[in-house]
Structures are given as C-alpha cells and as structure tokens.
Amino acid sequence: MDMSMPDPTVVDLPITDPKCVQAVEACTAFYAAENASQAAIPWAGQFKYGHWATYYWVIIIGLLSIYHVFTTITDHRSPSARTAGNGPGILQKVQAAGRSIFYRRLPPNGIAKLLDASPNYGVLAFLLLTLVFLLGLTFAQRPYYRDHLGYGSPPIAIRTGLMATACVPILVALAGKANIITLFTGISHERLNVVHRWVAWMSLGLSFIHALPYFIASYQDFGNGGYQRVVKEFYAGGFKGCNQATGVPPLAILFGLCILSLPAIRHRFYESFYASHIVLAITYLGLLFWHSMDTLDSWAYLWATLAIWAASWLTRIFVKTQPLKFTHEWFAGSPATLTILDGHVTRIDVWPERDFKWTPGQHAFLRFTDFAPLDNHPFTIASAAPTSAAKEQPHAVFLARSHSGFTNKLTSYVHSRSEAKTDSTSTTVWIDGPYGGTRPPPSRFDSLVLVAGGTGISACLPRALDFVARATSPNASMKLKRVVMVWAVKKKSALSWICEELKTLLAASAGRRRDEGVDEKATPPGELDLVIRVHVTGEEGNEKAPSKSEKAGLSSSSQTSPPVVDTTHGRPSMSALLAEFVRPAERTMVVGCGPEGFRYDVANAVAGSQTRVLKGECIEIALHLEVFGW
Ligand SMILES: Cc1cc2nc3c(=O)[nH]c(=O)nc-3n(C[C@H](O)[C@H](O)[C@H](O)COP(=O)(O)OP(=O)(O)OC[C@H]3O[C@@H](n4cnc5c(N)ncnc54)[C@H](O)[C@@H]3O)c2cc1C
C-alpha cells in the first residue's frame, strides 16, 4: 500500500473505535476531534502562562522598587524637614498593625527547621502568595487533559513547563550576590536567599506537574496507542522528536539541586554544596536549552537567565572584588593581620584600598590566597564606616567565629605562623564587597536600640561608632539622638574582641557621664546619649547573683588601659529592654544580630511592642535583623 495514502479501513471509523485513535490523523473523526480540542485550548495559548508568571515577578519587583525609591527620597530629606509630631498618624498605625504580624517569626526549632526557613511572617506570607498564585495559574483552566494524548500535549503540562522555565531567570537573579533585584529594590542578597530556595522548590513542583501528565495521559490512552506513543517519543525521533526524553535530565538535575540544598546537607558540607550547586545549575540551564528546543518564546527565558547571570558575575568580579577592579593593582590583596581571641574568635584587621567604602552593617566576602585560595566567606565589617571626607586609609575589622571549615583553617594558620605570645600574624586578603546594609536607615529615627548576641556585635558596633563619629563631627546635623547597645556574651572575656572600639564608645557615652553624676535621661542638647550594656550569660556570669550590675575592668593584649563597662549577669529580656528604651512620642529603630533563638526573641518582642504605636504612645518602632547565614 502507498504509505502516503490513508488506510481506507480506518478513514471513516468513529472516534469511539480504538483503531481510529491509533490511526490518529488518518481517521477523519480523530482529525476533527483533534482540531476541536486545539480550537478549545490551543497549544500555543498555553505559553501565555509563562508570561503571567513573569508579569507576577515584574509587578512584585516593580512595587518593591517604587517603595525603595520613595523611601530613599524621604529618608534623605533633611532631618529638620520632618516634623517630630506628638503621636502616630493613621499610616503609622496601619504600618504598626502590619508589623505586629509580619515581624513575627516561627520558633527556630519547630516548623521553621522543617521548612528550611526562619524568616519573618512577612516573607512567609509572600512565599505563600507566590505559591497560591502559581497554583492558581496551574489549576484554574480546565480541562487539564485532552481526550486523547494524540490530540496534543495536556494543557496543564504545557503551561506548567513554561511557568517552571519562567522561574529560571528569577531564580538566578535571587541567587546572585550582586544582583539586579538588589539594585532595584535595595533588598540585599542574604535576605533574598530564602526566596531563591523556595522558588526553586516551586519550580521543581511545576516541573513535576509538567512531566507527570504525559505519563498519566499515555496510561489513560494505553489501549489506544498512548503507550506506544510515549515509547516512541522517549526512545526515538532524534533531536527533534525526543521531547519527553530531553525533559528527564533537567528534571533530575533540578531535583538534585533542591535535595542537595536541604539544610542538613548545605550546613554540614557547605563548600561541596556550593561547588556542586554551581556546576549543577549550569548543567540545568544547558539541558533546558536542549529540552525546550526554542519552541515559540521558550528560549527568551533562558537568554534572559544568561544575561542576568553574566551581569551578576561580571559585577561581582570586576566591581566588587577589590584585586580585580580595573583601577587597582591586579591580584594584589590587602594587608591584614589575624589575631586569635578568646571564645573561638579570630579578629581580622584589614587595610583595603582607599576607595573601598562601606556603610554600617555591611559585609564582605574574604578570600585568603595564602592558605585558602578557594574559600570565599562572608563576614560583617565591625569597624566604623569611613566618612565620605576621610582621606586616610580605611581600616576594616571582622570578627570570625570558628567553625569546622574555612574558619578552622584560619585559626590553624594563625597558630602555625604566630609568635607564641601574641597569637597574631600578618597576611593578605582579597575583599569582595561590600554587600548588604540597613533598611530603613537608622538616621531617620530618634533612637537606635542595638541588640547583639556573641559575634553579632559586628553588625551593631559599627552603627554605634557611626553615631559617635557623626554626632561629634563639627557639622553634625542628625535626627538620631540616642543609641543603646546591648550585647549578650557567654563570657566577659569576649569584650576583648573589640577593646579599642569599646573604649572609643565609652569615652563618648552617657554611661561615662553617669559615672560622673550626669542623669542619662536628661542629656543636654548637643551631647551624646549612648548607653552600653553587656550581659554575661555563660557559667562565668552565673557564678554570681543574676541581674546584678557591676563594673568590669577589661584588659587586652592590644591595649594598656582597659575600658570600663556595665555588665549584667543573665540573658537580656527583650521585652523589658524595649519597655525601657523605646521612648514615648519618638521613632525607634531596633537592630538585632545573634543566634537564631536570639533573633526570634528580638523579632517577637518588637512585633509585640507595636501595640504602643497602636495606642498612640510611640510614633514608630522599626526592626532590622542581620542574619549570619542562609
Ligand atoms: C551576610 C553574612 C554575614 C556574616 N558575618 C559574620 C561575622 O561577622 N562573623 C562571623 O563569625 N560569622 C559571620 N557569618 C557567618 C560566616 O560566614 C560563617 O560562619 C562562615 O562562613 C563559616 O565558615 P566555615 O567554613 O568555617 O563553616 P562550616 O564549619 O563549614 O559551617 C558552619 C556554618 O557556616 C555556614 N557557612 C559555611 N560557609 C558559608 C558561606 N560561605 N556563606 C554562608 N554561610 C556559610 C554553613 O552553612 C554552616 O551553617 C556571616 C554570614 C553571612 C551570610
């Protein structure tokens, strides 16, 4: 029989006859039904779901960008231009109502651990919104399947495939240290990371919903040739005809990416996780190009991904990595000294190039080419940010707590090189940064309450130093009137980590004036109002009666005259601190940094204190938490 001629025995069969379905378009009834199915839900029409997923992200990023521009402009208005006001306005009350919910966090050891997420309820609500939106797009249009697989791919499979592909550019943007989302919205990479992880799981879910319907549809069509069709499409057809086969490798890789990112693996084997993550992500992108075969606009998402990725890496390499900047001497690290301190902490003093500027609370990635050239780890800059007018070389201090990986190498290196008595050595370091920062800026508040646990002091100290530097500068014009720094440490000896900086603060603080009989609450205009309080929480602290204040003299090898600071035994109570330091008719900002449980306490205490704004007692209480990890 001539193969181009339709088989006359099947041409006129009814669609209910399996032979008609097996004969596909050779059977007139099948051909008509296929056209009707495609007319009802066109294959190409499903591609718009990828567009909608993209619009969702564009709208979210657009709204956050508008908010960022708006707040940046209002934050930079001169302090005197803002009216102090006696109570909160309606907008501040609405904001406080939102903060009382969205600042809250899940207990760190409960469901948060299971969800691999300890962000605030605000981020969780956003993730839930995204999930609901994607599920809505997935399941809103019926039917999910066509009557027969031969009529075309199941609509639910096409749209979820495109939606999963549309997630890829956003996934890559959310992962970059220097990324386009941060550029537009001001939200730093370490805060975006949790969204990156969860969008990856959503993309994996969409990919499964994309793949499974082909198997379900072929199973349902089993007797009607569905099984043979899947087998044919899977194992034959070459590049053009093997659509199902090319989908399995990227799906498997995405599954691997998600599984290897689970906290149990990520935290335990961070270096291996990171290296494998990059390799797998590149492979995934390559396989997606292969799988989607430039069908309609499918490659547009992938080209966008490549552009975002390239921009992120080029910025990181040539703008952020100091020894690779065009204006610097190439491959020349900055001089640094490493000093081992009490409590498994290494102090890293770095003297970077003059044009390396940062703001309080920012962090940088450090790479020590002498002993760990492949490691690049983030640490917060604990020293005062250089002023814009400063001409001297900047001095960046980092406090690194030892764990088992790179930080352990750091300690071993110092031990292997240092002279026994000083526990200190010199080296060079590549700085990649700065990244991060504080939103909203503390300068627009009346009071700043800094609460730190352990090495979390790195995120708080520069803010206190910045306050002192600004307040004592000849042209001081600040709205910020008061800074309270509360630091919880296991041992009193931890104070030696920042001896010099503490001395600077204490020299300028109200604590010093209190010693001299000055009432802290009645700080004369123009004078500094800075309170420093240290809580010793470890055994050393428990030896004495709890909550009993004392004066502690500190000594350190780096100085001769030790500073004197108030210490209190026992953990600080966050709600008691806020009750004490959040003042009526004022705007207060709380910045917290410490272990997960510590952040949970701070966040929930600040969320609880929003009732004071709702009652009209205070104008605003904002929170910024720094997290040392992701
Ligand atoms: C924005 C930011 C600022 C930070 N600032 C400080 C600081 O000022 N002082 C301080 O002591 N620590 C800080 N950290 C944490 C510090 O980066 C890690 O403790 C350090 O990288 C651990 O290295 P390691 O190889 O010894 O860890 P490991 O023993 O391998 O692991 C210990 C923990 O550190 C995490 N970790 C390991 N490598 C990295 C990495 N490259 N990036 C992020 N997390 C990692 C692991 O997931 C694990 O939870 C900060 C982290 C971030 C994200």
Side-chain angles (χ1 to χ4, degrees):
M1 189 178 71
D2 180 357
M3 295 306 287
S4 63
M5 292 288 291
D7 177 358
T9 61
V10 297
V11 171
D12 295 324
L13 288 175
I15 192 69
T16 46
D17 190 324
K19 283 194 193 133
C20 173
V21 180
Q22 283 169 21
V24 292
E25 290 175 3
C27 175
T28 310
F30 181 96
Y31 187 58
E34 179 190 2
N35 283 339
S37 172
Q38 286 293 337
I41 304 185
W43 167 81
Q46 296 300 304
F47 280 65
K48 66 177 182 272
Y49 286 89
H51 303 172
W52 285 343
T54 306
Y55 299 152
Y56 173 79
W57 290 108
V58 170
I59 289 170
I60 295 287
I61 294 169
L63 290 175
L64 290 171
S65 306
I66 292 168
Y67 178 75
H68 179 51
V69 170
F70 174 75
T71 50
T72 305
I73 292 169
T74 50
D75 290 345
H76 279 89
R77 285 205 333 236
S78 84
S80 55
R82 270 177 248 121
T83 50
N86 293 324
I90 185 74
L91 274 180
Q92 277 133 355
K93 286 193 174 180
V94 171
Q95 190 179 44
R99 284 173 170 171
S100 68
I101 301 166
F102 294 135
Y103 275 170
R104 283 188 190 279
R105 292 178 167 241
L106 293 166
N109 290 324
I111 193 165
K113 211 165 202 166
L114 198 72
L115 289 174
D116 183 18
S118 54
N120 55 42
Y121 285 6
V123 175
L124 289 177
F126 168 68
L127 291 173
L128 194 64
L129 175 77
T130 307
L131 183 66
V132 168
F133 177 78
L134 293 177
L135 287 176
L137 282 189
T138 302
F139 294 109
Q141 192 188 30
R142 285 171 180 269
Y144 304 144
Y145 292 88
R146 300 183 192 278
D147 286 345
H148 294 287
L149 187 58
Y151 293 172
S153 300
I156 195 170
I158 312 166
R159 60 174 171 264
T160 46
L162 268 299
M163 285 157 61
T165 312
C167 286
V168 181
I170 206 76
L171 269 174
V172 168
L174 287 164
K177 304 291 178 277
N179 70 75
I180 192 164
I181 299 178
T182 301
L183 181 73
F184 286 130
T185 65
I187 303 172
S188 181
H189 70 94
E190 74 278 9
R191 285 163 204 283
L192 297 174
N193 199 275
V194 63
V195 185
H196 165 75
R197 294 199 299 272
W198 274 99
V199 174
W201 281 105
M202 290 178 205
S203 181
L204 179 68
L206 289 170
S207 303
F208 272 117
I209 303 177
H210 164 66
L212 289 177
Y214 289 100
F215 294 93
I216 294 170
S218 64
Y219 178 76
Q220 284 170 348
D221 244 5
F222 199 82
N224 293 333
Y227 171 71
Q228 288 90 329
R229 196 166 297 117
V230 161
V231 168
K232 181 169 153 263
E233 289 193 11
F234 231 97
Y235 297 108
F239 184 82
K240 279 284 168 201
C242 56
N243 218 268
Q244 265 92 339
T246 60
V248 174
L251 179 62
I253 299 272
L254 182 58
F255 182 71
L257 277 164
C258 289
I259 292 293
L260 292 176
S261 305
L262 285 173
I265 301 173
R266 190 175 76 238
H267 292 315
R268 180 76 187 79
F269 309 101
Y270 189 86
E271 298 300 338
S272 316
F273 149 77
Y274 185 75
S276 64
H277 202 72
I278 300 288
V279 172
L280 288 177
I282 293 170
T283 314
Y284 174 63
L285 185 62
L287 289 172
L288 272 190
F289 266 104
W290 179 39
H291 175 56
S292 54
M293 293 177 183
D294 202 13
T295 315
L296 296 188
D297 57 8
S298 58
W299 275 11
Y301 303 103
L302 307 181
W303 290 124
T305 306
L306 274 181
I308 290 169
W309 212 338
S312 170
W313 275 105
L314 290 174
T315 309
R316 194 166 179 199
I317 293 170
F318 295 114
V319 179
K320 293 288 189 177
T321 305
Q322 302 300 307
L324 296 179
K325 279 176 89 163
F326 291 120
T327 48
H328 292 177
E329 190 187 337
W330 266 40
F331 300 108
S334 303
T337 60
L338 311 176
T339 310
I340 300 213
L341 301 170
D342 231 54
H344 309 288
V345 167
T346 305
R347 178 176 161 129
I348 306 165
D349 287 81
V350 186
W351 289 268
E353 294 278 349
R354 273 172 217 284
D355 62 353
F356 183 75
K357 305 269 185 221
W358 67 91
T359 56
Q362 286 198 298
H363 61 273
F365 287 75
L366 301 183
R367 185 190 297 277
F368 291 88
T369 47
D370 283 349
F371 59 92
L374 297 180
D375 289 309
N376 197 24
H377 289 253
F379 295 98
T380 304
I381 308 173
S383 48
T387 57
S388 48
K391 293 214 166 55
E392 68 275 13
Q393 185 166 24
H395 175 198
V397 176
F398 302 86
L399 298 171
R401 179 178 291 286
S402 279
H403 295 278
S404 56
F406 157 77
T407 46
N408 194 29
K409 278 189 219 166
L410 188 72
T411 320
S412 309
Y413 179 76
V414 182
H415 279 140
S416 69
R417 291 266 312 244
S418 60
E419 293 149 29
K421 280 192 181 159
T422 58
D423 259 352
S424 177
T425 190
S426 306
T427 183
T428 55
V429 63
W430 285 30
I431 300 188
D432 161 14
Y435 299 97
T438 319
R439 299 290 308 164
S443 55
R444 83 168 166 84
F445 292 84
D446 301 294
S447 294
L448 176 61
V449 178
L450 305 165
V451 275
T455 47
I457 192 65
S458 298
C460 294
L461 184 64
R463 291 176 166 106
L465 291 167
D466 187 63
F467 169 66
V468 169
R470 282 168 189 266
T472 52
S473 91
N475 306 322
S477 151
M478 278 204 310
K479 181 175 170 65
L480 188 62
K481 293 184 283 209
R482 181 175 313 103
V483 171
V484 176
M485 189 170 87
V486 179
W487 185 20
V489 290
K490 280 200 181 125
K491 289 177 165 186
K492 210 153 49 187
S493 57
L495 301 182
S496 67
W497 303 346
I498 52 166
C499 243
E500 286 164 32
E501 292 78 8
L502 267 181
K503 276 173 75 182
T504 307
L505 292 181
L506 288 166
S509 79
R512 169 65 53 87
R513 289 201 314 281
R514 272 208 313 279
D515 286 345
E516 293 157 5
V518 178
D519 177 6
E520 174 201 329
K521 287 193 175 145
T523 307
E527 287 206 28
L528 278 191
D529 191 348
L530 172 65
V531 178
I532 298 174
R533 201 175 273 180
V534 175
H535 285 252
V536 181
T537 61
E539 280 172 21
E540 186 189 349
N542 291 338
E543 286 164 12
K544 304 185 182 165
S547 301
K548 177 175 162 280
S549 259
E550 65 170 23
K551 301 287 176 195
L554 304 167
S555 64
S556 148
S557 55
S558 64
Q559 58 168 49
T560 46
S561 54
V564 177
V565 66
D566 274 352
T567 62
T568 302
H569 298 296
R571 284 171 164 233
S573 154
M574 296 305 163
S575 41
L577 278 178
L578 295 184
E580 183 178 354
F581 292 115
V582 174
R583 297 199 179 175
E586 281 195 358
R587 288 188 162 84
T588 302
M589 175 158 193
V590 180
V591 173
C593 186
E596 218 167 333
F598 184 91
R599 294 196 302 272
Y600 167 77
D601 288 346
V602 177
N604 288 1
V606 175
S609 69
Q610 299 300 323
T611 47
R612 292 180 63 184
V613 180
L614 292 170
K615 282 184 200 157
E617 205 185 300
C618 313
I619 300 176
E620 183 183 356
I621 309 170
L623 172 68
H624 174 90
L625 284 180
E626 292 283 346
V627 183
F628 282 0
W630 37 70

